[in-house]
Amino acid sequence: MGPTDFDMHPEAERLFAREAALREEAEEVLARSGIGAMLAEARYQIVGSYVMKTMTWRDLDFERYEEPDWERHWEVGTKLGATGWCVRLNCVDVYREDPNDFGLYWGVRAADPARKEKTPRSDPTVWKLDVWTARPEEFSVAPPKREQWASRMTEEARSHILAIKEAVCVEAEYRRSLLSVHIYEAVLEEGVTGVEAFRTWWAAKYGEGTGR
């Protein structure tokens, strides 16, 4: 089987409907909060699962490619806070914090300020936004491969990516050592389908003891 010669996942209709609903909700939140327009004005691009149409949870990624400047970065956070939608706003200078990583980061938890109940950190209805600034060459392995992945994306492949993402997103390794880019790589480059087949592939290539 080639990397894009897939049958449709048996739960594709449900997975696609869930994904479309999340993207529609994301667009509403970005518009109503003003965050979307503010980040666009600051030259951030929305990337990741929103663009690939592989959304599985309330998570959005933004990137700005430029020479990092702390004052410009801080200005973005000030504007985010002024929207009133930020339940949590976390600022990190990764250049100073991690010698093996790069970037200026805003981590946002966003929710409608009109809601009356509290919004605990684990609330699944709260949107998570990762907002990064770095030099183009400092971003991870994902950007150079996005065009390649997009060219190989079919509805059949997308159905399998969504199924794997839905299954592994609750696992302890996810977002630590098991990343969404690994799922795109497995399905779109190596033709891996099925959750168990993905776990076996990932353990062999990226798991503990592999040296990766």
Side-chain angles (χ1 to χ4, degrees), residues 137-163:
E137 66 274 14
E138 291 173 337
F139 278 96
S140 70
V141 69
K145 292 193 171 187
R146 284 175 187 154
E147 187 174 340
Q148 173 188 330
W149 290 339
S151 71
R152 294 183 177 185
M153 184 71 77
T154 63
E155 290 299 274
E156 290 80 7
R158 191 161 70 93
S159 71
H160 288 281
I161 290 169
L162 286 167

Side-chain angles (χ1 to χ4, degrees), residues 12-74:
E13 184 175 354
R14 177 186 66 81
L15 293 164
F16 289 161
R18 171 64 172 161
E19 197 281 333
L22 282 170
R23 262 188 302 116
E24 183 177 349
E25 184 180 333
E27 290 164 1
E28 180 184 2
V29 167
L30 291 174
R32 288 180 55 218
S33 65
I35 291 174
M38 187 272 290
L39 290 177
E41 183 180 0
R43 300 194 303 178
Y44 285 91
Q45 300 178 26
I46 190 167
V47 298
S49 59
Y50 176 89
V51 176
M52 300 288 278
K53 296 185 178 179
T54 55
M55 296 192 72
T56 314
W57 53 87
R58 291 175 174 84
D59 181 49
L60 293 168
D61 298 291
F62 295 86
E63 294 176 356
R64 179 169 67 179
Y65 316 119
E66 64 178 32
E67 187 67 24
D69 180 275
W70 182 257
E71 289 186 6
R72 274 176 50 76
H73 178 66
W74 193 259

Side-chain angles (χ1 to χ4, degrees), residues 123-139:
D123 189 334
T125 68
V126 174
W127 278 87
K128 178 178 180 291
L129 283 70
D130 294 314
V131 183
W132 285 93
T133 299
R135 302 173 184 92
E137 66 274 14
E138 291 173 337
F139 278 96

Side-chain angles (χ1 to χ4, degrees), residues 8 24 32 40 45 81 94 104 106 115 130 137 139 173 193 211:
M8 192 72 78
E24 183 177 349
R32 288 180 55 218
Q45 300 178 26
V94 183
L104 300 175
W106 284 107
R115 62 185 285 174
D130 294 314
E137 66 274 14
F139 278 96
E173 295 92 347
T193 62

Side-chain angles (χ1 to χ4, degrees), residues 160-179:
H160 288 281
I161 290 169
L162 286 167
I164 295 170
K165 288 182 73 176
E166 183 180 70
V168 304
C169 70
V170 296
E171 297 182 2
E173 295 92 347
Y174 192 74
R175 296 182 70 88
R176 295 191 179 107
S177 55
L178 196 166
L179 308 175

